[in-house]
Amino acid sequence: MSSKEVKTALKSARDAIRNKEYKEALKHCKTVLKQEKNNYNAWVFIGVAAAELEQPDQAQGAYKKAAELEPEQLLAWQGLASLYEKCNQVNAKDDLPGVYQKLLDLYESADRQKWCDVCKKLVALYHQEKKHLEVARTWHRLIKTRQEDGADRQELYELWRKLSQLLAENIEDQNNETQQMLLTAFENALDLADNIPSEDHQVLYRNFIQCLSKFPHETTKLKKACEEMIAIYPTVQYPLEVICLYLIDSGSLTSEGHQYCCKLVEMNSKSGPGLIGLGIIALQDKKYEDAVRHLTEGLKESPVCIAGWCHLAEAQVKMHRPKEAILSCNQALKTIDNFGASGGNLHQKNLCLRLKAEALLKLSDGASSEEAVRTLDQVSDVDNTPGLLVLQGLACLNTGAVDKATKIMEDLVTSYPDLAEAHALEGRVHFTKKDYVQAEVSFQRALEKDAEVAEYHYQLGLTYWFMGEETRKDKTKALTHFLKAARLDAHMGKVFCYLGHYYRDVAGDRNRARGCYRKAFELDDNDAESGAAAVDLSLELEDTETALAILTAVTQKASAGAAKWAWLRRGLYHLKAGQHSQAVADLQAALRADPKDCNCWESLGEAYLSRGGYTTALKSFMKASELNPDSTYSVFKVAAIQQILGRYSEAIAQYQLIIKMKEDYVPALKGLGECHLLLGKVALVDFLDGKAVDYVEQALGYFTRALQHRADVSCLWKLVGDACTCLHPVSPSKVHVHVLGALLGQKEGQEVLKKEELLSLGGRCYGRALKLMSTSNTWCDLGINYYRQVQHLAETGSSMSDLTELLEKSLHCLKKAVRLDSNNHLHWNALGVVACYRGVGNYALAQHCFIKSIQAEQINAAAWTNLGVLYLATENIEQAHEAFKMAQSLDPSYLLCWIGQALIAERVGSYDTMDLFRHTTELSMHTEGAIGYAYWVCTTLQDKSNRETELYQYNILEMNAIPAAQGVLCKYVERIQNSASAFTMLGYLNEHLQLKKEAAEAYQRATTLLHSAEDQNTYNVAVRNWGRLLCSIGDYDRAIQAFKSTPLVELEDIIGFALALFMKGLYKESGSAYERALAVCKSEQDKAHILTAMAIVEYKQGKMDAAKSFLFKCSILKEPTAESLQALCALGLAMRDATLSKAALNELLKHIKRRNDYHSCLLMSAIYALQGHSVAVQRQVAKAVHSNPADPALWSLLSRIVAQYTQRSAKGGAVAGNVAHILDLNHGKAFYF
């Protein structure tokens, strides 16, 4: 191809590219390259076409080939730059800076504008790759070029400002050259700025200062820049903040710095640097409170100021706030770790560690001291710093390493003999060893070296405080040094605490002591001793407002489980003030602080007790007792609460524990007596009179022991009177109480008192109690005692004239009680009861008293009931009913008003009488209710005609009346042992319950009581019942003797006598007795029964004909009995006379309603068996079972018949026996229920 054709092909390629026919362009270029392999334009065109066809690799190769062929030509480099700018490949980014450099070389002399554009692109690329030095150098070259080209001031300003912006990022990662170029850029930009002041200029200055603040070695320029900006922009805070922070960090906060800080705070009251600076200046001026306040507020705004945290910690240490100082040090150390501990930060770290160790040592506990040792180990060069060695020694002392502390102290004193701290440490070591003399010498040396240290004066005063006897008596030296310490350091709370000790314990000035304690507590609110003393003294001085204010302030900011002393005292305050719920809450908070404080548990128990929470109070006192088993008070309160809760046995066990520890502890003896007395009263309610007597006897023993120690206590005498009087309902035969002679005025021994003597003793004890303390309750109790004596004497048969004096005494005492306390309804009620007594009979006075009782207490069921009894006694039935009804409405469970209604119902003949009496027995046991219910049950049972009525079914069967009445009547006769009618009814009920032996005993008691009675007929009836029961239980001899003791003129007596003789085997005598009975018998039915009995007697003697004769006589009577016909049938079977038996059975079936009952079936089957009809025997029994499938006796009979007569049906017999067993079990359960 010729040169012309090459040119033509290149032209075609150029046109194709212009027309965007890039593939055609490639064809033309390839044609050229076949002729000329090194054709520059062809390779450039290939690069352009390939780039447009998105073939970057081919384009890159083509451009590089062209650049190699002619390196000084622009087209290839321009194309390559354009390709790299569009391409995202890594190698393209790596090669692009070199391409830009080549373009810069080519443009430098050819086109300065394009040179600048490429330069800016190269800077952008370097900036993107964080090549700060290349950015600085390249941009600096651009600025220099523009200066040579005569650029104006504004353009140069923008270029320098742009450079400052490019280099302002990641300043810490730049080298020194880059940092210097950055500062130069800021300085030149500031010099070239025209609009001063302006927003842009202010921002530029701010950025310049911010940049300088990051260069520790440019502090001079920083200060200068800040001052210049302040001069230009006096109202802008930023330069003030920076220069303040600079002065703070450099530790050169002078008067000029003070002005800056003040100005900054004037501009912004919440400026962090300004407040921190003011705080540091206040610290320098020893204004520690202002320092802490300013530094705390400033650090909220500038929390990364390490110097601020250090100075805050220092101020807090000076103010003896170690916990706060530790937190400040920790914050400073955390900030230092975040910024790296190098250079100045290392110095600050060591300072923080030292301050932290010092604060930890002020806490004085072992754990804090151990942490202080670990903190000091982190300080660099600690072994060569005497101040740190002193802290190490103090830490060792606090942790108990006295030997190690001694070694440190000796080394310090040897190496630094003029160091006051070393001698102070020496004094502390001697003080710890309780070598107070040497400690005094050491602290005096320390004061010689530095007399203005408050701690040395305090330690020396403390040494004098604990020194020998003379110094203990005379605390003047200690006071002198405590006062000096307080003058030198007004924030040292512990010195004010000891000043409080001095004024309280030595000088006796409670007001001044309280002031010192309050000052100590204000300085250190963690000083529980000072706070507690201030509160206690305020309460002693009756300044409760101050005490409560201190306690409330402490508890409000106390965290959970803290400030136990405050919670405890505030709880006790609320307890004393009657604010029980608040007291409980406070005492619970105190226990969260110390769950093992027995005093707190006791106080909490008192709080629970005061608001009626007996169960929780009991748990609290039990916990206190567990924590302190030697605490008599806790055990006593446990026993007392158990006594209140009615757990008398448990209370007695606790009281006994106290008595074992302390035999003469009167409250425990009194508690034991009360518990036994209360147990006795419970036993009386349950009608366990023997138990009650035993308990009262024990109670009197304990009360007597208590009186031997404290005979001057009125309540003990009253309790003895209560114990003696409470046995008034018990039968006199059961009251035989052993009483210690000391209670009866004897020196030793004991006597057995009967009921009359015991009641009289009770009256004398009430009198003794009244001599010691006259109270309305005791007068009332004495009056009731006289009344009980009257009741007892009246029961024993004393004449009314003998009782008059006691009744007058009773009325006098009760009137005295009413005069002393006219609002006590119980006094009025008791006076009314005595006025009703038949020996007084003053019903008008009684009515007046009951009404006054009701007026004194509206809910007064007892008074309404007594009023009802009064109306009932005076035959005012309607008024009595209304009074009882009112009592029922007030208290539906009050027993006596129901008994009153039952008596009214009985009086008017109401059908509800029995229901009412039964209801009284369900409510509780009472003699009147018991005897009334038993009477009505027995009356109902005696009426044989009512068995099928609904009334009988409900009252007797459904209500289980017989066992219920028997139960209450047993209790009745236990207490009232002279009621023959009660014993008779009890025997009757026992008979119904098949309790024959018990019935016999009851009837015997009845006969004993009636033996001397004038009514002989009643006595005979009782003996008859007794004899009948003796016969039932097989005691035939006694039965015969019982019947012989009667006149034997009544039919029942003769028949009973005859039966007893028969059962004894005296058939001849029995027959004679039956003949005698037949002679007096008037009823046809009775004659039939007697004749049947006589036939049985004859049969027993083997006189079959005589027996048959008597039975035939029965059969010809107008009203033959089923029993006589059964006997005749049985006699026929015994004589194997089937005809006689069958005839008697047929006659029997005419007189009975149920033909298939057991006895009829048995007789009929026996007749069939006698006749030899085995199958008929089985059929007869099976027929009876079919008619009465629920009768287990018939099923049992069937099983036996099958086994005996039809063995082929043995399997059926087994089934019948099993059914009989099941029915018998169910029948037993039904009977039980």
Side-chain angles (χ1 to χ4, degrees):
M1 182 179 287
S2 63
S3 175
K4 186 175 181 181
E5 290 174 343
V6 169
K7 289 182 180 179
T8 302
L10 289 172
K11 184 175 181 301
S12 299
R14 184 182 292 110
D15 292 339
I17 290 171
R18 188 179 294 115
N19 295 325
K20 298 184 179 180
E21 297 174 353
Y22 303 116
K23 291 183 179 180
E24 289 296 323
L26 287 174
K27 291 179 182 179
H28 292 303
C29 290
K30 289 179 180 178
T31 303
V32 173
L33 290 175
K34 287 179 181 179
Q35 185 67 28
E36 295 183 9
K37 291 182 180 181
N38 295 326
N39 189 292
Y40 177 82
N41 289 328
W43 285 109
V44 171
F45 290 157
I46 287 173
V48 173
E52 294 296 335
L53 290 172
E54 295 183 356
Q55 298 174 358
D57 294 338
Q58 186 178 355
Q60 179 183 3
Y63 282 136
K64 283 188 174 181
K65 182 66 175 178
E68 289 176 2
L69 293 173
E70 295 187 24
E72 301 302 321
Q73 290 292 329
L74 279 168
L75 286 176
W77 294 108
Q78 288 174 340
L80 194 60
S82 177
L83 177 65
Y84 284 161
E85 288 172 358
K86 295 177 182 178
C87 184
N88 292 324
Q89 294 181 0
V90 177
N91 60 345
K93 296 294 183 182
D94 295 338
D95 294 343
L96 187 56
V99 174
Y100 282 151
Q101 289 288 356
K102 186 63 179 177
L103 286 173
L104 287 176
D105 294 340
L106 294 175
Y107 281 136
E108 188 172 8
S109 56
D111 191 339
R112 300 298 284 265
Q113 183 58 43
K114 288 185 178 180
W115 184 90
C116 291
D117 294 340
V118 173
C119 187
K120 291 178 181 178
K121 289 182 178 181
L122 180 59
V123 167
L125 184 62
Y126 283 144
H127 186 262
Q128 184 179 353
E129 296 177 355
K130 299 187 185 304
K131 295 180 178 180
H132 305 295
L133 181 59
E134 286 76 2
V135 170
R137 288 175 177 175
T138 304
W139 197 267
H140 195 270
R141 184 179 171 190
L142 172 63
I143 295 173
K144 186 176 180 182
T145 300
R146 293 303 298 149
Q147 284 178 335
E148 292 174 355
D149 293 343
D152 59 10
R153 185 182 180 89
Q154 182 62 29
E155 183 182 354
L156 292 175
Y157 165 75
E158 293 295 338
L159 289 173
W160 284 112
R161 184 179 179 186
K162 180 64 176 177
L163 179 58
S164 69
Q165 293 173 351
L166 291 171
L167 298 180
E169 300 177 7
N170 299 25
I171 295 175
E172 297 82 358
D173 299 334
Q174 299 174 6
N175 59 18
N176 188 53
E177 181 182 351
T178 307
Q179 292 175 353
Q180 290 301 319
M181 287 186 176
L182 173 60
L183 296 179
T184 302
F186 274 119
E187 290 171 352
N188 288 329
L190 290 170
D191 290 339
L192 292 170
D194 291 330
N195 296 330
I196 301 173
S198 67
E199 185 68 27
D200 290 341
H201 182 260
Q202 181 179 331
V203 171
L204 183 62
Y205 238 125
R206 177 191 290 269
N207 294 336
F208 179 41
I209 292 172
Q210 186 176 3
C211 176
L212 285 171
S213 64
K214 295 179 181 180
F215 298 151
H217 55 280
E218 297 292 351
T219 54
T220 305
K221 287 186 178 180
L222 175 64
K223 184 179 179 183
K224 180 181 177 183
C226 288
E227 290 173 347
E228 289 175 352
M229 186 176 179
I230 291 169
I232 298 172
Y233 302 101
T235 60
V236 177
Q237 298 179 34
Y238 182 73
L240 286 168
E241 290 179 348
V242 174
I243 195 169
C244 286
L245 286 175
Y246 159 70
L247 294 173
I248 290 167
D249 290 335
S250 64
S252 55
L253 199 60
T254 59
S255 58
E256 183 183 9
H258 187 202
Q259 294 175 1
Y260 287 138
C261 292
C262 291
K263 186 175 181 180
L264 185 56
V265 172
E266 287 177 6
M267 295 169 64
N268 181 9
S269 61
K270 293 186 177 181
S271 172
L275 290 168
I276 292 171
L278 292 178
I280 294 172
I281 292 168
L283 178 61
Q284 293 171 355
D285 295 340
K286 297 184 179 181
K287 298 176 181 178
Y288 302 125
E289 293 180 0
D290 292 341
V292 169
R293 179 167 50 82
H294 288 313
L295 287 166
T296 302
E297 293 177 2
L299 287 166
K300 288 180 183 177
E301 305 298 326
S302 302
V304 296
C305 181
I306 298 170
W309 287 112
C310 291
H311 284 96
L312 177 59
E314 183 181 355
Q316 288 165 338
V317 169
K318 295 288 187 184
M319 292 185 69
H320 302 276
R321 298 180 183 175
K323 291 184 179 180
E324 297 176 14
I326 292 168
L327 294 175
S328 299
C329 290
N330 288 338
Q331 189 63 41
L333 292 169
K334 182 179 177 181
T335 308
I336 290 170
D337 290 340
N338 292 337
F339 284 96
S342 60
N345 284 353
L346 181 60
H347 170 73
Q348 289 178 327
K349 182 175 182 179
N350 289 336
L351 176 61
C352 283
L353 290 171
R354 176 172 180 166
L355 288 169
K356 182 179 178 181
E358 193 173 342
L360 287 166
L361 290 173
K362 285 185 178 293
L363 293 175
S364 299
D365 59 280
S368 299
S369 298
E370 290 175 1
E371 187 179 352
V373 172
R374 294 192 293 271
T375 303
L376 291 169
D377 290 340
Q378 300 176 42
V379 181
S380 59
D381 201 24
V382 64
D383 294 333
N384 297 322
T385 307
L388 296 177
L389 289 172
V390 170
L391 294 178
Q392 272 191 341
L394 292 173
C396 292
L397 278 179
N398 288 349
T399 55
V402 180
D403 294 339
K404 187 176 180 180
T406 304
K407 179 68 170 59
I408 295 172
M409 175 270 292
E410 290 173 350
D411 292 343
L412 277 170
V413 172
T414 304
S415 303
Y416 306 96
D418 294 330
L419 184 65
E421 292 172 297
H423 292 290
L425 176 60
E426 182 182 23
R428 292 287 294 274
V429 171
H430 289 308
F431 184 87
T432 303
K433 295 178 179 179
K434 296 186 178 180
D435 187 356
Y436 300 121
V437 175
Q438 289 299 322
E440 176 189 12
V441 173
S442 298
F443 287 129
Q444 286 176 343
R445 286 177 188 163
L447 287 169
E448 288 174 3
K449 307 296 181 184
D450 190 351
E452 298 301 313
V453 179
E455 183 69 24
Y456 302 162
H457 286 287
Y458 168 72
Q459 292 294 341
L460 182 56
L462 208 59
T463 303
Y464 286 133
W465 186 267
F466 290 101
M467 202 178 270
E469 289 295 329
E470 294 183 3
T471 314
R472 284 191 185 135
K473 293 177 183 177
D474 183 12
K475 304 283 187 180
T476 309
K477 287 184 179 181
L479 175 64
T480 301
H481 287 283
F482 286 148
L483 290 172
K484 286 181 180 179
R487 179 179 57 79
L488 291 170
D489 187 354
H491 296 94
M492 185 184 287
K494 54 188 178 181
V495 73
F496 286 100
C497 179
Y498 272 94
L499 284 170
H501 292 344
Y502 174 83
Y503 290 122
R504 182 189 64 184
D505 301 334
V506 179
D509 189 343
R510 291 189 296 176
N511 277 306
R512 187 173 290 183
R514 182 179 66 159
C516 292
Y517 284 130
R518 288 188 64 182
K519 177 69 174 178
F521 187 68
E522 288 170 3
L523 293 172
D524 181 8
D525 55 8
N526 292 314
D527 184 0
E529 182 183 10
S530 297
V535 170
D536 293 342
L537 284 173
S538 295
L539 292 174
E540 287 180 20
L541 295 168
E542 298 183 356
D543 187 0
T544 55
E545 291 184 6
T546 301
L548 191 58
I550 295 172
L551 295 173
T552 303
V554 174
T555 53
Q556 282 179 346
K557 63 181 181 180
S559 58
K564 166 194 157 185
W565 67 271
W567 289 113
L568 176 60
R569 281 166 172 77
R570 198 172 79 156
L572 293 173
Y573 169 82
H574 288 307
L575 181 60
K576 186 178 179 181
Q579 299 167 351
H580 310 307
S581 298
Q582 186 61 46
V584 168
D586 289 348
L587 291 168
Q588 286 174 338
L591 280 171
R592 282 192 286 271
D594 185 4
K596 294 188 177 181
D597 187 341
C598 62
N599 293 324
C600 282
W601 282 107
E602 286 181 356
S603 301
L604 181 60
E606 291 289 355
Y608 281 132
L609 194 59
S610 62
R611 73 174 189 181
Y614 297 113
T615 305
T616 47
L618 178 62
K619 292 178 181 178
S620 299
F621 283 116
M622 289 178 72
K623 183 67 175 179
S625 180
E626 288 175 13
L627 294 170
N628 184 14
D630 297 329
S631 173
T632 303
Y633 181 75
S634 297
V635 181
F636 175 75
K637 295 303 287 188
V638 168
I641 295 170
Q642 287 173 333
Q643 179 181 331
I644 293 171
L645 294 174
R647 304 174 187 174
Y648 303 124
S649 299
E650 297 174 26
I652 288 170
Q654 295 295 324
Y655 283 131
Q656 293 287 6
L657 290 176
I658 300 174
I659 297 303
K660 287 180 182 178
M661 294 187 290
K662 199 173 181 182
E663 292 184 1
D664 59 346
Y665 193 67
V666 173
L669 290 170
K670 172 178 173 286
L672 279 168
E674 286 178 319
C675 286
H676 283 94
L677 176 58
L678 291 168
L679 283 171
K681 290 181 178 180
V682 171
L684 287 172
V685 171
D686 295 334
F687 280 66
L688 303 172
D689 293 347
K691 253 188 177 180
V693 172
D694 292 339
Y695 282 131
V696 168
E697 184 177 289
Q698 291 176 278
L700 287 172
Y702 288 116
F703 289 144
T704 305
R705 288 173 60 185
L707 284 168
Q708 287 175 326
H709 298 290
R710 291 296 304 273
D712 59 333
V713 178
S714 173
C715 67
L716 291 175
W717 290 104
K718 182 185 180 303
L719 285 169
V720 174
D722 293 341
C724 294
T725 308
C726 75
L727 292 179
H728 69 88
V730 181
S731 173
S733 61
K734 288 189 175 183
V735 181
H736 300 283
V737 180
H738 291 79
V739 178
L740 292 174
L743 191 61
L744 303 171
Q746 302 171 5
K747 292 184 178 180
E748 56 184 17
Q750 60 181 9
E751 288 189 15
V752 178
L753 299 186
K754 296 180 180 179
K755 184 174 180 180
E756 181 180 350
E757 297 168 328
L758 191 67
L759 290 171
S760 178
L761 174 62
R764 293 199 303 273
C765 291
Y766 283 134
R768 185 71 178 272
L770 286 169
K771 287 181 180 178
L772 293 170
M773 180 185 294
S774 178
T775 64
S776 62
N777 289 332
T778 310
W779 280 107
C780 181
D781 290 336
L782 179 57
I784 293 172
N785 174 270
Y786 287 137
Y787 173 65
R788 298 304 182 191
Q789 290 187 55
V790 169
Q791 285 182 314
H792 169 69
L793 293 173
E795 288 173 3
T796 57
S798 298
S799 63
M800 190 55 63
S801 59
D802 298 334
L803 309 180
T804 305
E805 183 181 355
L806 285 173
L807 283 172
E808 289 178 356
K809 287 182 178 180
S810 177
L811 288 170
H812 171 75
C813 293
L814 290 170
K815 288 177 180 179
K816 177 74 172 181
V818 167
R819 284 197 297 271
L820 290 173
D821 185 2
S822 59
N823 293 321
N824 192 318
H825 66 283
L826 296 176
H827 301 347
W828 285 109
N829 193 44
L831 180 58
V833 170
V834 176
C836 279
Y837 191 71
R838 62 179 180 272
V840 179
N842 191 343
Y843 297 132
L845 173 61
Q847 183 183 28
H848 170 74
C849 292
F850 293 141
I851 292 172
K852 290 291 288 184
S853 178
I854 292 167
Q855 290 174 347
E857 174 58 53
Q858 298 295 321
I859 304 174
N860 195 340
W864 278 108
T865 300
N866 290 333
L867 189 60
V869 173
L870 174 63
Y871 291 142
L872 186 61
T874 55
E875 299 298 328
N876 294 310
I877 304 298
E878 291 185 6
Q879 290 175 302
H881 170 67
E882 291 300 323
F884 289 138
K885 188 167 71 172
M886 179 61 74
Q888 288 172 314
S889 66
L890 292 173
D891 185 0
S893 64
Y894 188 63
L895 174 64
L896 296 180
C897 58
W898 287 98
I899 293 176
Q901 293 286 35
L903 292 171
I904 290 176
E906 188 176 52
R907 183 79 63 88
V908 300
S910 171
Y911 286 108
D912 295 329
T913 303
M914 189 172 177
D915 278 340
L916 287 168
F917 275 119
R918 185 190 65 251
H919 183 63
T920 64
T921 62
E922 291 171 350
L923 286 174
S924 182
M925 174 62 198
H926 191 277
T927 54
E928 288 296 329
I931 196 68
Y933 185 50
Y935 168 79
W936 280 98
V937 170
C938 292
T939 302
T940 306
L941 289 173
Q942 284 182 316
D943 184 4
K944 300 292 193 299
S945 63
N946 63 3
R947 292 296 188 267
E948 302 301 326
T949 63
E950 291 184 5
L951 189 67
Y952 180 86
Q953 291 291 324
Y954 175 77
N955 282 337
I956 302 300
L957 299 181
E958 292 184 22
M959 292 292 102
N960 291 318
I962 300 173
Q966 189 263 355
V968 296
L969 203 54
C970 283
K971 293 183 178 181
Y972 179 92
V973 298
E974 274 292 311
R975 178 159 296 175
I976 300 176
Q977 299 181 348
N978 57 357
S979 174
S981 59
F983 281 108
T984 302
M985 287 189 287
L986 179 60
Y988 184 67
L989 294 171
N990 283 332
E991 267 193 276
H992 275 273
L993 294 172
Q994 300 301 311
L995 302 172
K996 296 181 179 180
K997 186 176 179 181
E998 289 78 2
E1001 291 175 356
Y1003 285 136
Q1004 183 184 10
R1005 292 289 299 277
T1007 58
T1008 303
L1009 291 170
L1010 293 170
H1011 184 68
S1012 59
E1014 295 179 359
D1015 188 354
Q1016 188 64 30
N1017 185 50
T1018 305
Y1019 171 74
N1020 292 338
V1021 172
V1023 173
R1024 181 187 309 152
N1025 292 329
W1026 181 38
R1028 186 182 70 253
L1029 263 294
L1030 287 173
C1031 193
S1032 296
I1033 63 177
D1035 194 349
Y1036 307 121
D1037 291 332
R1038 293 178 66 196
I1040 293 169
Q1041 294 300 320
F1043 283 116
K1044 281 183 176 180
S1045 66
T1046 64
L1048 288 175
V1049 294
E1050 295 291 335
L1051 177 63
E1052 290 84 354
D1053 295 337
I1054 301 170
I1055 290 174
F1057 180 58
L1059 179 62
L1061 291 170
F1062 174 81
M1063 299 303 294
K1064 181 63 177 175
L1066 301 173
Y1067 302 123
K1068 186 175 180 180
E1069 292 82 352
S1070 176
S1072 299
Y1074 277 126
E1075 289 176 359
R1076 185 177 176 184
L1078 190 61
V1080 299
C1081 178
K1082 297 178 181 179
S1083 167
E1084 287 285 322
Q1085 190 174 14
D1086 289 341
K1087 285 182 180 180
H1089 286 310
I1090 294 170
L1091 288 170
T1092 303
M1094 292 174 70
I1096 295 171
V1097 171
E1098 294 300 325
Y1099 174 78
K1100 281 289 186 178
Q1101 297 179 74
K1103 299 175 181 180
M1104 300 294 184
D1105 294 335
K1108 187 190 298 186
S1109 175
F1110 281 124
L1111 291 173
F1112 277 135
K1113 288 181 180 180
C1114 290
S1115 63
I1116 63 175
L1117 292 173
K1118 293 181 180 180
E1119 297 180 9
T1121 62
E1123 290 82 0
S1124 63
L1125 293 172
Q1126 284 179 349
L1128 183 58
C1129 182
L1131 181 62
L1133 291 170
M1135 297 174 65
R1136 305 190 68 81
D1137 185 348
T1139 304
L1140 176 62
S1141 297
K1142 193 168 184 180
L1145 181 61
N1146 290 334
E1147 189 67 23
L1148 173 64
L1149 292 176
K1150 294 177 183 179
H1151 292 82
I1152 62 175
K1153 295 180 181 179
R1154 295 178 59 187
R1155 291 190 161 207
N1156 291 316
D1157 65 345
Y1158 177 77
H1159 295 98
S1160 302
C1161 177
L1162 182 62
L1163 291 172
M1164 190 168 288
S1165 60
I1167 292 171
Y1168 285 133
L1170 182 63
Q1171 293 173 344
H1173 303 314
S1174 299
V1175 176
V1177 172
Q1178 179 190 348
R1179 287 177 178 174
Q1180 180 61 37
V1181 178
K1183 183 180 178 182
V1185 167
H1186 183 74
S1187 300
N1188 299 288
D1191 190 346
L1194 288 173
W1195 284 97
S1196 178
L1197 177 61
L1198 178 60
S1199 68
R1200 295 197 305 272
I1201 291 296
V1202 168
Q1204 188 172 357
Y1205 293 99
T1206 56
Q1207 287 85 357
R1208 288 178 299 175
S1209 304
K1211 189 175 180 180
V1215 172
N1218 189 38
V1219 172
H1221 175 67
I1222 293 171
L1223 288 174
D1224 189 53
L1225 287 176
N1226 292 336
H1227 177 73
K1229 290 180 182 177
F1231 177 78
Y1232 174 75
F1233 285 111

